[in-house]
Amino acid sequence: MPLSPDEARRFAVLLESHAEQLTARWTELVTRSLRNRLSSAELQRQTSDLQRGFQQAFSGGATDLGDGPADELRAQLSELSNSRARQGFNATETAVSIYAFKDALLEVLGDQSDAATLRDYVAISGFVDRAALFTFDSYVRIRESLIADQTEQLLELSTPVVKLWEGVVAVPLVGTLDSARAQVVMERLLQTLVDTSSPYAIIDITGVPAVDTQVAQHILKTVVAARLMGADCIISGIRPQIAQTIVALGIEFGDIATKASLADALRHVISRTKQSGR
Amino acid sequence: MERVPVLKIGDILLVSIQIDMEDQVALQLQEDLAERIVATGVHGVIIDISALDIVDSFVGRTLAAIASVSRVLDAETVVVGMRPAVAITLVELGLSLPGIRTALNVELGIAMLGSRETVDVLGDEGETDPAVLTRE
C-alpha cells in the first residue's frame, strides 16, 4: 500500500532528525548479520548513503518505490545488490541489509504503545519491504547475468580456431559437442575461413569424449557448409574407440578425409596444397 | 529489369552479383552468360556471390544450370565468396549445390581455374579431355 504524502513528509523529517542514530544502529545490525565479512567503515558508508537515499525519496514526496523521487534510491539499491552479488554474499545476506533498517527505525520511533506510532511503523516498514524485495529482484537479475556471461565465456574459451599453416586452419574440439556449441564452432570456423582465405580446415576431435549420431551430424553439416564456401575439411584425432563407435553406429563420412592424428591431417593438406600449387 | 554485368578479364568471365537475385534476374544472367561465353570464347567463369544475403533454392538451381551450360561450352564455373550464414542456411535446407565448384574468394577462384591447365587436381572427368589439356 503506498504511503500518503503526509506520511512521506513526516518520515522525511523523522529520518533527518535521527540520521546519525539510525545509521549507527543500522550499520551495527548489518555488520552482525554479515559476520564481519565487510569492514564496518564500508558498511557505515553504504548505510549512511542508503539512509540519505530513503530520506531524499521521502522528502521528494515519493509515496511508493516506483515513484520518480525514488529513482535515486532505486539506483542505490541496485548498486548495493550488484556489489553484494559480486562479492559472493547470498540472497538472505543481501536482503537482510535492507530489512535491518526496519529494526533500527523501530528503535527511533519512540513510544510504541501509541497507536499512531504503530501505524506509522507499519506504513514505513511496508515501504522498506518493497525496497528489500526490489534489492532481492536485482540481486537475482545480476546473478543470472553473471551466469549467462560465464556460459558465454566458456563457449568462447572452448572453441578456438587456430591457423596451423599458410592456408590451413584447425579447430581443436574439446568437450562434449551439443547443438549450441556446434553452432558456435561452425560459425567461427566458416568466418575464419573467409577472414584468412584458407582453403583447408582441420577439425580435430581428440578432445571429444564421445561421438554419437548427433555429434557426427553436427560435424558433417560443418564440413558440407565449408565445402559450399569452397574450402575442404579434414577430420582428425579419431581415437580407436571412437572409430569403433562410428562404424557400429553406421555413420557415413562419405568422401570426407579422416585421419588418425592432427599431424597426419596436416601432412595430407600440405601435400595437397603443393600438388594444386595454391 | 536490372541486369547483372558480365566482365571479361583475360580468359575468364567475372560476374559479381550485387543486387537481389530475383528469379527473372537469375534467368537473364543464365542466358547472358551463355551468349558471352560463345562470343568471347573464354574457358572460365567466376560468379561472385559475396554480396548475396540470401540464396534460395531457385538461385541454387540456376547456379547449377549455369555451371552445366558453361561446361557444355567448355568453360569451367566457380562460385566464389559464399557467406558463412548462406552456407549454413543451405546446409540446414539440405541444398548442397551438386556439380558446382566453389572457392573462398575471387583470388582463389582464379587460382583454381588457372591451375587447370597444369595439373588436374580435382579429378573432374571432363578435365581429362586432351583438347582441354593442350589448350593454349
Side-chain angles (χ1 to χ4, degrees), chain A residues 183 186-187 190-191 193-194 197-199 221 224-231 272 275-276 278, chain B residues 81-84 87-88 90-92 95-97 102-105 108 111-112 115 119 121-122:
Chain A
Q183 191 71 24
M186 190 197 263
E187 282 170 12
L190 298 185
Q191 194 54 52
L193 288 176
V194 175
S197 39
S198 311
K221 272 187 185 170
V224 175
R227 276 204 184 161
L228 275 176
M229 291 173 50
R272 291 243 316 248
Q275 223 176 47
S276 63
R278 289 206 230 163
Chain B
M82 185 185 291
R83 292 193 186 178
I88 292 172
L90 284 180
V91 172
E92 297 292 341
L95 300 168
S96 57
L97 305 185
T102 51
L104 285 170
N105 52 39
L108 290 172
M112 190 184 256
S115 66
V119 193
V121 276
L122 294 133

Side-chain angles (χ1 to χ4, degrees), chain A:
Chain A
M1 197 180 72
L3 306 172
S4 70
D6 178 48
E7 280 171 326
R9 251 194 317 281
R10 239 170 327 125
F11 294 148
V13 175
L14 177 80
L15 292 190
E16 196 174 2
S17 56
H18 293 86
E20 260 173 54
Q21 192 193 344
L22 266 174
T23 311
R25 183 68 186 130
W26 192 3
T27 312
E28 193 187 325
L29 288 168
V30 175
T31 315
R32 205 182 306 152
S33 71
L34 298 185
R35 272 165 281 136
N36 297 323
R37 277 196 282 159
L38 281 179
S39 73
S40 65
E42 189 176 355
L43 284 172
Q44 171 93 41
R45 192 179 51 75
Q46 282 177 357
T47 47
S48 73
D49 278 357
L50 276 173
Q51 205 257 328
R52 212 170 309 124
F54 274 108
Q55 187 192 319
Q56 273 160 9
F58 287 137
S59 63
T63 53
D64 206 351
L65 194 63
D67 289 353
D71 283 348
E72 182 73 13
L73 176 63
R74 281 205 307 279
Q76 282 179 350
L77 292 172
S78 325
E79 180 55 37
L80 175 86
S81 33
N82 192 345
S83 69
R84 288 281 201 280
R86 281 175 204 283
Q87 283 158 349
F89 288 100
N90 64 27
T92 314
E93 286 163 336
T94 307
V96 157
S97 304
I98 306 298
Y99 282 125
F101 187 42
K102 293 203 311 192
D103 297 341
L105 270 170
L106 190 58
E107 288 171 24
V108 299
L109 271 174
D111 183 12
Q112 286 154 24
S113 58
D114 180 13
T117 315
L118 269 182
R119 246 197 314 279
D120 271 0
Y121 176 67
V122 170
I124 197 167
S125 79
F127 190 89
V128 177
D129 283 347
R130 286 193 288 281
L133 279 177
F134 177 82
T135 316
F136 188 77
D137 261 358
S138 41
Y139 175 88
V140 171
R141 214 166 26 245
I142 286 153
R143 285 297 279 255
E144 272 170 5
S145 77
L146 272 179
I147 292 170
D149 282 355
Q150 282 167 353
T151 315
E152 202 173 305
Q153 277 170 9
L154 206 62
L155 270 181
E156 303 262 314
L157 273 183
S158 55
T159 51
V161 181
V162 293
K163 181 176 171 181
L164 214 55
W165 203 264
E166 201 55 58
V168 186
V169 294
V171 205
L173 291 180
V174 178
T176 318
L177 203 64
D178 57 11
S179 297
R181 267 197 69 196
Q183 191 71 24
V184 174
V185 171
M186 190 197 263
E187 282 170 12
R188 282 256 188 130
L189 174 61
L190 298 185
Q191 194 54 52
T192 316
L193 288 176
V194 175
D195 294 344
T196 61
S197 39
S198 311
Y200 291 102
I202 300 174
I203 301 176
D204 186 81
I205 58 169
T206 313
V208 180
V211 174
D212 54 15
T213 43
Q214 208 194 354
V215 172
Q217 187 66 23
H218 289 316
I219 296 176
L220 284 178
K221 272 187 185 170
T222 312
V223 175
V224 175
R227 276 204 184 161
L228 275 176
M229 291 173 50
D232 235 338
C233 278
I234 291 119
I235 299 167
S236 78
I238 301 171
R239 281 175 285 127
Q241 309 97 295
I242 301 275
Q244 302 276 12
T245 330
I246 289 175
V247 172
L249 287 173
I251 297 166
E252 275 294 335
F253 277 121
D255 54 347
I256 299 165
T258 50
K259 298 283 166 192
S261 69
L262 187 60
D264 281 349
L266 186 59
R267 189 176 301 127
H268 172 80
V269 169
I270 292 173
S271 71
R272 291 243 316 248
T273 321
K274 273 189 191 146
Q275 223 176 47
S276 63
R278 289 206 230 163

